[in-house]
Amino acid sequence: MLDAALADAVAAFPAVDVRPFRDMIEGMRMDLARSRYATFDVLYLYCYRVAGTVGLMTVPVMGVSPDSGADLGTVYAGALALGVANQLTNILRDVGEDARRGRIYLPQDELAMAGISEADIFAGRVTDQWRSFMKGQIARARAYFRQAEQGAAQLNQESRWPVWASLLLYRQILDEIEANDYDNFSKRAYVPKAKKLAALPKAYLRSLKKPPSSQRQ
């Protein structure tokens, strides 16, 4: 049934490219073989494969607004950025959980520069060095969310609300990590239900705005 549904989607939206599907499979294989990431470039490749690909798969289905004056590459870049931002947020939220499984989804070179060892992570030490390191990681994730906004604004209006909701809700997880004083070892950052509900009308209002390029015309 799932194969039939996918075949129907590809038939209905011929612009759907097969490469992101293949790249996602490679991401699953990558996760089976790797539990450490030497640099952010390697981690980015993982994030692209397991999450950024989702954005590339769905843009042809969601469609681009007829009011959009943006280059199609901007839309795809924004969709890719949202997937990467969401995956980076997952990684930062789940540091403690992943460590208990013997996995560290953080750039090892940046950990070393911050003076943080694997033993520190496995012990769940929330030090000043860890807080400083986490601030940098959160800032990077937020930069991807900002890039994602540029693409979300260009989608068809019918598609914009769920995309904006995903963006706003996931970005709030980063706020909760900060509220927990960067203790993502023993505390799981989660967005309270009231905050989630409050984000939905904000996302809806954003979805009603025409693409920025058309507003300047």
Side-chain angles (χ1 to χ4, degrees), residues 3 8 65 79 84 90 93 97 116 129 153 159 194:
D3 288 342
D8 179 70
S65 171
V84 171
N90 281 338
R93 178 194 62 195
E97 180 181 331
I116 300 167
Q129 290 92 335
S159 304

Side-chain angles (χ1 to χ4, degrees), residues 15-73:
V16 172
D17 187 4
V18 70
R19 180 176 175 180
F21 292 87
R22 290 174 174 163
D23 287 346
M24 175 176 277
I25 293 171
E26 289 304 312
M28 303 306 164
R29 289 175 176 157
M30 189 176 183
D31 204 30
L32 290 173
R34 185 185 293 270
S35 61
R36 301 290 189 278
Y37 294 83
T39 66
F40 179 72
D41 287 343
V42 183
L43 182 62
Y44 177 86
L45 176 62
Y46 171 72
C47 292
Y48 156 69
R49 285 176 170 174
V50 300
T53 50
V54 177
L56 302 185
M57 294 173 187
T58 54
V59 166
V61 178
M62 292 185 291
V64 178
S65 171
D67 295 324
S68 174
D71 182 87
L72 190 59

Side-chain angles (χ1 to χ4, degrees), residues 39-152:
T39 66
F40 179 72
D41 287 343
V42 183
L43 182 62
Y44 177 86
L45 176 62
Y46 171 72
C47 292
Y48 156 69
R49 285 176 170 174
V50 300
T53 50
V54 177
L56 302 185
M57 294 173 187
T58 54
V59 166
V61 178
M62 292 185 291
V64 178
S65 171
D67 295 324
S68 174
D71 182 87
L72 190 59
T74 299
V75 182
Y76 274 95
L80 172 57
L82 180 56
V84 171
N86 284 351
Q87 186 61 31
L88 288 174
T89 300
N90 281 338
I91 287 169
L92 298 179
R93 178 194 62 195
D94 297 338
V95 168
E97 180 181 331
D98 290 331
R100 287 187 285 275
R101 297 187 297 120
R103 309 181 75 85
I104 300 176
Y105 292 90
L106 298 168
Q108 289 184 300
D109 60 341
E110 295 179 19
L111 286 169
M113 288 179 61
I116 300 167
S117 67
E118 288 193 4
D120 292 327
I121 293 176
F122 290 137
R125 298 189 181 106
V126 182
T127 62
D128 287 341
Q129 290 92 335
W130 177 253
R131 293 184 182 92
S132 178
F133 172 80
M134 282 300 301
K135 289 176 183 178
Q137 301 302 306
I138 288 174
R140 173 187 281 152
R142 283 179 172 149
Y144 280 106
F145 277 121
R146 287 193 295 272
Q147 184 180 0
E149 290 187 8
Q150 299 174 24

